[in-house]
Amino acid sequence: GPQDEREYWLQKAQTALQNAYDLNLHLKPAKIQMEVTKSTYFTFDSPRYKLKSKADRVDWYSDSEYCLIDYKWDEKPLSEEDAIIDFQTVLYYLTWMGDMEGVPPKLISYQFLTPGIQVDVTPTVTTMEAGIERLIHYIEKAENLKSQTTEPEATRNDYCYNCKLYGKCPATKL
């Protein structure tokens, strides 16, 4: 009943708090900022897109050395390979590079609080290349879709007009 559900969520929250404490115990930043939003403009052919990201936490080690921390509640963490090409990682990289005059974050850390697992990405031009190409591909597809008068059929791992999602579509089952 309701008491069991309450106990379940209370236990889950206590576990997440303990995991957050354990994951961050070793960090010794000079300064911490919470919920920092950055944006930059990304030129793509003729239109300019404003890219925006919001880091849950920024740990500053000097004026130009910083780490972005993103707290996740997912039960299953991303693999490091998936984290490198994830849109969120690419957006963090591009928006912070744009705002910090070309200085990338030292580390982008995804802290999955429920299982207590941390996945770190060290962003460099080389590691971000595949993710940026994926973002450009997505923008190209969006531009093409905008110019079409009829709605195309959704394909696996593609934009779906039925549910407006990218990924597995519950409407078309693709």
Side-chain angles (χ1 to χ4, degrees):
Q3 184 62 26
D4 291 338
E5 187 173 344
R6 182 182 177 283
E7 290 297 321
Y8 167 80
W9 287 108
L10 180 61
Q11 179 61 40
K12 192 169 182 164
Q14 288 172 335
T15 300
L17 284 171
Q18 183 64 51
N19 288 339
Y21 176 80
D22 293 343
L23 289 170
N24 290 282
L25 187 60
H26 69 284
L27 302 175
K28 306 287 186 223
K31 179 173 94 172
I32 294 176
Q33 286 181 293
M34 303 298 285
E35 296 192 0
V36 180
T37 301
K38 295 289 181 189
S39 62
T40 191
Y41 286 93
F42 181 72
T43 304
F44 179 78
D45 292 337
S46 58
R48 290 179 73 197
Y49 291 88
K50 184 175 185 178
L51 303 179
K52 225 175 172 181
S53 69
K54 181 178 177 183
D56 292 327
R57 191 172 106 202
V58 182
D59 287 0
W60 292 93
Y61 294 93
S62 71
D63 287 342
S64 62
E65 187 177 25
Y66 60 99
C67 297
L68 305 178
I69 297 176
D70 188 58
Y71 301 117
K72 300 285 189 192
W73 286 91
D74 306 35
E75 296 281 340
K76 184 180 175 199
L78 290 170
S79 68
E80 187 175 330
E81 294 79 30
D82 288 341
I84 289 171
I85 63 167
D86 188 75
F87 280 142
Q88 188 168 4
T89 303
V90 174
L91 289 175
Y92 279 147
Y93 178 76
L94 292 173
T95 56
W96 282 81
M97 286 264 300
D99 192 72
M100 293 294 296
E101 299 175 4
V103 178
K106 174 182 167 183
L107 191 71
I108 299 171
S109 180
Y110 294 102
Q111 295 186 356
F112 293 85
L113 300 180
T114 302
I117 295 172
Q118 182 169 313
V119 177
D120 293 332
V121 174
T122 303
T124 65
V125 172
T126 305
T127 60
M128 292 291 97
E129 191 172 338
I132 292 170
E133 286 177 16
R134 187 169 165 244
L135 177 64
I136 290 170
H137 175 73
Y138 185 76
I139 291 172
E140 284 174 342
K141 290 186 91 162
E143 285 298 310
N144 288 337
L145 290 174
K146 281 200 280 184
S147 66
Q148 293 179 3
T149 56
T150 59
E151 295 178 358
E153 288 294 316
T155 57
R156 184 177 303 282
N157 292 324
D158 202 352
Y159 184 81
C160 174
Y161 273 93
N162 294 305
C163 57
K164 308 292 188 230
L165 292 175
Y166 182 84
K168 186 161 180 153
C169 172
T172 63
K173 307 293 186 237
L174 294 175

